[in-house]
Amino acid sequence: MDFQLQATAPGTDARAGLITTDHGQIETPIFMPVGTVGSVKGVHFAELRDNIKAQIILGNTYHLYLRPGLDILNRAGGLHKFIGWEKPILTDSGGFQVFSLSSIRKLKEEGVTFRSHIDGSKHLFTPEGVVDIERIIGADIMMALDECCPGDADYDYAKKSLGLTQRWLDRGWKRYQETEGLYGYRQAYFPIVQGCVYPELRREAARHVASLGADGNAIGGLAVGEPTEKMYEMIEVVNDILPADKPRYLMGVGTPANILEAIDRGVDMMDCVMPTRNGRNGMLFTRNGIMNMRNKKWADDFSPLEEGGASIVDEVYTKAYVRHLFVSNELLAMQIASIHNLAFYLWLVGEARKHIIAGDFKSWKTEMVERVTSRL
């Protein structure tokens, strides 16, 4: 994998770059739609390619390991061929499930043991085993196994958790270097910086991650319960240390304002389920603010969903019609909202890139944050 830094924005740490993988190029900053089990909920791949303009999507190692399973993925020739997606894919290691499924897992030095949420069967994820699983899945970018520390953890827990994550990283990195991809293309491996909200732990983690010289690096354990300003502070602390000539991936973040603030602080890649999850519940993000499509105020509003919007659905459907679909519990409502929100997120990072290159990102971002956080 190759990363070219193409521009920086005066007065900020915002960057525009180009990632090259064997499945295509990715212009940064970029937002990556989440396709946990090999599908982005409610959106087919033609929409992702042609309308939303997604350049890379995510899969989840934990979920894909359980279903459809490694045998099916291997026989299919990897996840790209299984789902019919020809562009880059990134897979999470399953580390977030160590956090989110804490009631059905057990941490130990060897790895994490969990019970399947599908049938209760018992499984062990080790750092080495996760590399092997991600080799079979065949993602262009693989993530290291880590423990995602809760945002409100005390210092002692966070320090112990970071130690485990770092030891796991060293083991996973060794396995990655000892193995090769199975399907004739190269896979990158990103380590993850943890450390909760404690600057000294984040610095320790960032130095350790940077020392490996990986193709890219990730920032994890944020947007998991800590105050927003703490999240921004930790991004700044980490990006002061992570190498500038490698892409930086902020995991699981976030709102449109979060994304703009992260870009401002030197983040290149982001993902979040918010566009589709919130969309399915009637929340639409637009360049002028947030709309709750269940509100009665839209019942007789026959204007386009968003004038000049980023998606084809914005001009085809009216606010009144989309509200009608939501209050009628029609599946089409969730599909329209998901397409709209994803297209908006991709538009937003695309506009950020244009303004970084033009040199006026700082003033544009300040205005845009105010606009996208307003309620319509």
Side-chain angles (χ1 to χ4, degrees):
M1 194 186 80
D2 179 66
F3 177 65
Q4 294 176 284
L5 188 60
Q6 297 175 312
T8 56
T12 77
D13 290 320
R15 307 123 56 85
L18 184 68
I19 298 171
T20 302
T21 77
D22 286 348
H23 281 102
Q25 294 186 319
I26 305 160
E27 294 181 335
T28 66
I30 191 65
F31 179 82
M32 303 179 285
V34 177
T36 302
V37 298
S39 71
V40 178
K41 282 187 171 59
V43 183
H44 55 76
F45 289 124
E47 290 284 0
L48 284 169
R49 279 190 298 262
D50 304 331
N51 187 7
I52 295 167
K53 310 295 186 186
Q55 300 177 48
I56 177 175
I57 62 172
L58 268 69
N60 182 271
T61 294
Y62 164 87
H63 288 282
L64 291 167
Y65 163 83
L66 291 175
R67 192 166 52 193
L70 300 183
D71 178 61
I72 293 294
L73 289 170
N74 194 12
R75 287 160 58 192
L79 185 61
H80 289 87
K81 289 186 177 179
F82 183 62
I83 66 177
W85 175 256
E86 69 279 5
K87 295 186 178 184
I89 297 175
L90 181 150
T91 43
D92 187 5
S93 66
F96 184 73
Q97 279 65 45
V98 176
F99 166 76
S100 64
L101 302 177
S102 58
S103 62
I104 57 173
R105 58 84 168 149
K106 183 177 181 181
L107 286 171
K108 51 186 176 181
E109 191 67 33
E110 182 183 6
V112 56
T113 302
F114 62 90
R115 291 196 176 275
S116 166
H117 69 285
I118 299 169
D119 61 9
S121 57
K122 194 174 181 180
H123 304 268
L124 172 66
F125 270 19
T126 67
E128 298 87 353
V130 164
V131 171
D132 296 342
I133 292 168
E134 290 187 276
R135 288 294 195 194
I136 293 172
I137 294 171
D140 300 271
I141 300 173
M142 312 187 298
M143 303 307 301
L145 181 65
D146 64 335
E147 182 192 0
C148 181
C149 184
D152 59 355
D154 62 35
Y155 180 85
D156 288 341
Y157 182 93
K159 184 175 178 61
K160 180 180 178 182
S161 172
L162 176 60
L164 181 63
T165 288
Q166 290 179 319
R167 293 190 297 275
W168 282 358
L169 172 58
D170 290 340
R171 289 164 51 193
W173 179 247
K174 183 174 183 292
R175 179 60 66 92
Y176 168 71
Q177 292 181 304
E178 294 171 344
T179 58
E180 295 182 355
L182 303 178
Y183 309 115
Y185 54 88
R186 188 173 181 273
Q187 295 175 274
Y189 183 81
F190 282 20
I192 303 171
V193 176
Q194 291 288 349
C196 198
V197 295
Y198 303 103
E200 59 270 40
L201 296 182
R202 286 283 177 177
R203 291 189 186 98
E204 176 189 339
R207 286 190 289 267
H208 180 73
V209 161
S211 71
L212 298 179
D215 287 316
N217 303 296
I219 308 169
L222 295 176
V224 289
E226 81 285 353
T228 302
E229 289 309 314
K230 270 292 178 185
M231 175 175 71
Y232 297 152
E233 179 190 347
M234 293 304 102
I235 294 171
E236 293 172 7
V237 165
V238 169
N239 280 348
D240 278 345
I241 298 170
L242 291 182
D245 62 345
K246 303 291 178 66
R248 301 160 176 163
Y249 164 31
L250 178 62
M251 305 180 73
V253 178
T255 66
N258 292 158
I259 285 173
L260 292 173
E261 296 293 355
I263 292 171
D264 190 311
R265 290 161 172 81
V267 167
D268 306 296
M269 307 166 69
M270 292 140 287
D271 77 286
C272 191
V273 297
M274 186 171 285
T276 48
R277 178 177 291 171
N278 289 34
R280 294 194 302 274
N281 288 290
M283 178 181 286
L284 266 60
F285 301 99
T286 78
R287 66 193 70 190
N288 293 311
I290 301 167
M291 297 191 296
N292 180 350
M293 296 314 299
R294 294 184 181 276
N295 283 353
K296 190 172 177 56
K297 66 183 294 183
W298 310 119
D300 59 354
D301 188 331
F302 304 112
S303 64
L305 197 56
E306 183 179 10
E307 293 190 27
S311 168
I312 192 172
V313 301
D314 295 326
E315 297 292 344
V316 171
Y317 302 110
T318 66
K319 297 181 181 72
Y321 179 59
V322 174
R323 179 190 182 271
H324 159 70
L325 293 175
F326 269 109
V327 299
S328 302
N329 294 319
E330 285 291 322
L331 294 178
L332 181 58
M334 294 183 279
Q335 185 180 29
I336 290 170
S338 297
I339 292 169
H340 165 86
N341 280 350
L342 286 173
F344 169 72
Y345 269 59
L346 268 295
W347 172 86
L348 186 66
V349 294
E351 287 296 298
R353 176 182 167 84
K354 290 177 185 177
H355 287 279
I356 291 168
I357 294 171
D360 63 347
F361 172 79
K362 187 175 180 65
S363 59
W364 173 83
K365 185 218 94 173
T366 300
E367 176 190 352
M368 188 58 65
V369 166
E370 184 175 347
R371 287 170 59 182
V372 298
T373 53
S374 64
R375 294 275 176 169
L376 299 178

